[in-house]
């Protein structure tokens, strides 16, 4: 759990880590690679390590390399295995990213269905529809997707779902189609930067993919994909979270090594909310497309109507953090999530800190309050944890956030980064040492409830 002593403006400079959601499908693509896949900027987060474990059971040897930040080498040394078991996939939905690569490289795959999730209904019908269009024989059996195909055949695949395209579904189909015979055209493909990054990596391996970043991706299958070197893009969700940390605490934070072009609607929104956002300066790296982004609070946050949607919209993965910010806005705001319409579990926990939020139709309505106050709260998922950390940083007094393991799935050393900007966050065991300040606080809280 985290214990946060809030109410301090965060100021300073911090670097963005590599993107978790780009790194995961790229790591899974090691299954279709005949040589070594050398990556850099892979974030040191629990989901990455869970996927390494899963890939190890599938014959992929991965090594952390110390020569560059986030260095990792992956190599499929055995083609024998094709079962992604429940124990590993249930810990991380992105385990489904191995389905397409396994099928394309080994002709069969048995992958556990990912199961339930706290952010809403998350079916995988579009993944299955896509693989079936490529000629796979698919069935669901005892909680597993069982897929078989001699060699996948290029086809037209439409990935439109009721809430837009699918990010990991597009990754699965694109990677599988890279080794299929003939041409695949994915329509209604996801345009997210993480999908583009995977496409660039596959092209470095010798793939032939065009249309990345548009809803129509064309893939001319090749017989073999070779080893390659690839640097993972910066994490736009972590970057956005750090910029919101500046705004919510009345601070001034510069994020280095970021991609401003991946966050245009988010930085526009922050400006609309009254935050001063300074975009690319010459100190960035033009070749890698990275730059620095500075966010400086400038008086009270303005209320707004926020809609989270597929890229290039405001990301659903920043919706909870933005809701935390709107809790202290002047006036009444609304938030709608078009990707996961019920992703509002964080609202009840934010209310424990004094936020005023209620649901009206598909919107969360947030009546801004002048200040939040510390409280004990519980993290329900990865981005909800981040929202609670942000709210705790802004709140007066102490906030205790339990189940912080959700946060560790996707943020690299978040508390170290925030403490470097002046936050006071302590990571501690949920059961405190008898006699410690945390123990005394917990006893006081217990005696008043
Ligand atoms: N959907 C379907 N059928 C499918 C797949 C998805 O109806 O077969 C629906 C989903 O229920 C949802 C929408 O389509 O309403 C979009 O889901 P998508 O498949 O794009 O989500 P995902 O690929 O499972 C990735 C990220 C999520 C992020 C979403 C949306 C990874 C590993 N995960 O999930 O990230 O919220 O895209 O951008 O890339 C996070 O990092 O906290 C996280 C949840």
């Amino acid at each position: 759990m985290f214990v946060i002593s809030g109410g301090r403006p965060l100021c300073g400079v911090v670097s963005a880590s590599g993107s978790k959601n780009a790194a995961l499908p790229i790591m899974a693509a090691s299954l279709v690679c005949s040589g070594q896949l050398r990556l850099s900027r892979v974030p040191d987060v629990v989901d990455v390590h869970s996927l390494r474990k899963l890939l190890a059971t599938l014959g992929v040897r991965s090594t952390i390399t110390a020569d560059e930040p986030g260095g990792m080498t992956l190599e499929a040394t055995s083609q024998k295995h094709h079962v992604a078991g429940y124990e590993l996939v249930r810990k991380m939905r992105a385990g489904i990213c191995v389905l397409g690569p396994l099928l394309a490289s080994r002709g069969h795959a048995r992958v556990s269905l990912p199961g339930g999730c706290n952010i809403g209904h998350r079916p995988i019908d579009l993944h299955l529809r896509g693989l079936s269009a490529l000629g796979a024989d698919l069935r669901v059996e005892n909680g597993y997707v069982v897929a078989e195909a001699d060699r996948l055949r290029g086809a037209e695949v439409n990935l439109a779902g009721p809430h837009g395209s699918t990010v990991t579904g597009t990754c699965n189909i694109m990677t599988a189609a890279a080794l299929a015979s003939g041409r695949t055209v994915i329509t209604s493909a996801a345009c997210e930067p993480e999908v583009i990054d995977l496409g660039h990596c596959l092209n470095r391996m010798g793939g032939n993919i065009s249309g990345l970043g548009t809803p129509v991706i064309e893939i001319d299958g090749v017989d073999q994909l070779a080893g390659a070197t690839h640097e993972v893009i910066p994490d736009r969700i972590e970057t956005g979270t750090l910029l919101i940390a500046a705004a919510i605490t009345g601070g001034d934070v510069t994020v280095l090594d970021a991609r401003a072009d991946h966050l245009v609607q988010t930085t526009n929104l922050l400006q609309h909310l009254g935050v001063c956002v300074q975009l690319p300066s010459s100190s960035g790296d033009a070749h890698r497309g990275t730059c620095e982004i500075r966010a400086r609070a400038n008086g009270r946050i303005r209320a707004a109507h926020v809609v989270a949607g597929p890229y290039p919209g405001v990301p659903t993965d920043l919706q909870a953090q933005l809701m935390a910010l709107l809790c202290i806005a002047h006036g009444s705001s609304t938030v709608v999530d078009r990707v996961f319409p019920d992703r509002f579990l964080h609202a009840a926990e934010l209310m424990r800190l004094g936020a005023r939020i209620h649901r009206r139709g598909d919107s969360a309505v947030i009546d801004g309050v002048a200040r939040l106050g510390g409280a004990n709260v519980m993290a329900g998922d990865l981005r909800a944890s981040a929202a609670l950390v942000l709210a705790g940083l802004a709140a007066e007094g102490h906030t205790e956030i339990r189940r912080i393991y959700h946060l560790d799935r996707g943020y690299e050393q978040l508390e170290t980064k925030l403490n470097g900007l002046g936050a006071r966050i302590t990571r501690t065991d949920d059961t405190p040492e008898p006699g410690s300040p945390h123990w005394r606080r917990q006893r006081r809280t217990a005696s008043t409830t």
Side-chain angles (χ1 to χ4, degrees), residues 304-307 319-320 322-324 326-327 332-337 341-348 350-351 356-367:
H305 175 56
V306 174
V307 180
Q319 181 258 105
L322 287 163
M323 187 185 287
L326 295 172
C327 290
S332 191
S333 303
T334 50
V335 172
V336 174
D337 194 323
D342 293 317
R343 194 180 194 174
F344 289 137
L345 277 183
H346 42 276
L350 289 169
M351 287 166 74
R356 288 170 48 193
I357 306 172
H358 62 273
R359 186 86 186 253
R360 190 193 302 142
D362 62 353
S363 308
V365 180
I366 303 116
D367 294 319

Side-chain angles (χ1 to χ4, degrees), residues 157-408:
V157 177
N158 182 279
L159 290 181
H163 304 291
S165 186
T166 162
V167 174
T168 50
T170 305
C171 293
N172 248 328
I173 307 308
M174 187 164 74
T175 309
L179 277 187
S181 63
R183 168 171 283 211
T184 297
V185 179
I186 306 180
T187 55
S188 296
C191 301
E192 270 69 4
E194 294 76 18
V195 177
I196 303 177
D197 204 33
L198 168 66
H200 286 160
C201 181
L202 289 167
N203 281 345
R204 290 206 170 95
M205 295 180 192
N208 196 348
I209 303 173
S210 57
L212 292 164
T214 77
V216 182
I217 299 180
E218 293 179 352
I219 304 135
D220 285 307
V222 295
D223 291 336
Q224 204 179 37
L225 292 162
T229 301
H230 181 78
E231 182 183 18
V232 175
I233 52 169
D235 196 311
R236 63 192 170 109
I237 307 303
E238 183 207 29
T239 304
T241 304
L242 293 166
L243 297 175
I244 298 169
I248 201 168
T249 61
D252 182 351
V253 171
T254 300
V255 184
L256 305 180
D257 245 355
R259 284 286 297 258
D261 54 327
H262 292 168
L263 272 171
V264 172
Q265 290 207 20
T266 304
T267 49
N268 283 348
L269 172 66
L270 287 174
Q271 280 170 329
H272 178 71
L273 297 178
V275 181
C276 289
V277 180
Q278 223 169 295
L279 289 161
S281 81
S282 53
S283 59
D285 181 332
H287 175 65
R288 294 155 72 223
T290 58
C291 64
E292 56 183 61
I293 310 177
R294 177 178 176 193
R296 185 166 52 82
N298 179 27
R300 184 116 185 240
I301 295 297
R302 294 189 202 120
H305 175 56
V306 174
V307 180
Y311 193 80
V314 170
T316 172
D317 291 343
L318 280 175
Q319 181 258 105
Q321 300 89 315
L322 287 163
M323 187 185 287
L325 179 60
L326 295 172
C327 290
I328 53 162
H330 181 66
S332 191
S333 303
T334 50
V335 172
V336 174
D337 194 323
R338 297 239 186 273
V339 181
F340 295 110
D342 293 317
R343 194 180 194 174
F344 289 137
L345 277 183
H346 42 276
E349 296 301 302
L350 289 169
M351 287 166 74
R352 293 179 60 80
L353 297 164
R356 288 170 48 193
I357 306 172
H358 62 273
R359 186 86 186 253
R360 190 193 302 142
D362 62 353
S363 308
V365 180
I366 303 116
D367 294 319
V369 294
R371 61 188 62 83
L372 297 171
N376 292 352
V377 292
M378 194 85 86
D381 73 77
L382 168 56
R383 308 304 172 186
S385 326
L388 293 174
V389 170
L390 294 175
L393 290 171
E396 280 170 15
H398 281 89
T399 294
E400 295 180 357
I401 310 178
R402 288 185 167 71
R403 299 197 182 159
I404 213 67
Y405 52 81
H406 286 296
L407 193 86
D408 295 333

